[in-house]
Amino acid sequence: MIPVALETTAGVFTAHFSELGLARLEFPPARRALPAARDAAKPRAGDLNRWTAQTRAAIEAILDGRPPRVLPPLDLAAGTDFQRRVWSALRGIARGRTQSYAEVAAVIGRPRAARAVGGACGANPVPLLVPCHRVLAANGRIGGFSGGRGWKERLLGSEGVRASR
DNA sequence: TAACATTCCGCGC
DNA sequence: GCGCGGAATGTTA
């Protein structure tokens, strides 16, 4: 994995690219750099340049409340089967729409797994591009967010969604 | 086994 | 209606 600093209007995000694509995205301020990540899975130089530009453009668009024109390929291979199912379901939630953790659980065929869905959302390695911020608690409340509730509210706000409390 | 980005129900204001 | 306690719940490290 290769960490890349992405300067945006909202601060410096850190993107980590594998040979397959964007594998992790961190909110600013960037947490500590990866402890000498294994370089076995490194992207080719050409891919890295293209994916970096695509990732930065996508972040800027999302922060501006516009739909991203293109996304970099995502490398979600690190997740468990359950997590990948959840993340896939999240990508099916349209901009400006929200679902509850329980609704997402129902979508993936595990109606009792609302809490586990929360866990999978928290484990989402690519926030913004995999829209975990569109998942709210059952009563329309904001729910939690790994990057901080402030980010969740900001992202929802840019999509015209207002959560209660 | 313990820890959760949940949810539901029952209670007392 | 709101807040709180408690229990059931699925997945993960």
Side-chain angles (χ1 to χ4, degrees), chain A residues 73-147:
Chain A
L74 303 182
D75 176 6
L76 302 178
T80 65
D81 284 348
F82 178 83
Q83 288 168 340
R84 289 201 301 265
R85 286 228 287 289
V86 171
W87 301 336
S88 173
L90 298 191
R91 300 183 70 183
I93 307 178
R95 266 174 47 80
R97 305 296 302 273
T98 63
Q99 279 186 355
S100 69
Y101 294 96
E103 285 170 336
V104 173
V107 164
I108 64 172
R110 295 257 191 317
R112 312 257 141 194
R115 190 157 190 182
V117 166
C121 289
N124 171 21
V126 188
L128 303 210
L129 307 195
V130 173
C132 49
H133 57 278
R134 296 184 186 139
V135 186
L136 304 180
N139 45 13
R141 301 228 242 210
I142 188 72
F145 199 67
S146 313

Side-chain angles (χ1 to χ4, degrees), chain A residues 3-79:
Chain A
V4 176
L6 297 179
E7 299 184 18
T8 75
T9 53
V12 180
F13 286 76
T14 303
H16 300 263
F17 295 99
S18 74
E19 62 197 334
L20 298 179
L22 177 64
R24 190 143 69 99
L25 182 62
E26 293 170 2
F27 288 98
R31 296 189 179 85
R32 67 181 185 286
L34 279 183
R38 59 184 68 82
D39 47 12
K42 264 195 289 210
R44 292 169 23 218
D47 286 338
L48 183 60
N49 288 337
R50 186 170 65 259
W51 296 345
T52 297
Q54 292 172 340
T55 301
R56 177 171 23 232
I59 294 172
E60 294 284 16
I62 292 168
L63 293 176
D64 279 0
R66 296 178 285 110
R69 187 148 304 173
V70 299
L71 297 182
L74 303 182
D75 176 6
L76 302 178

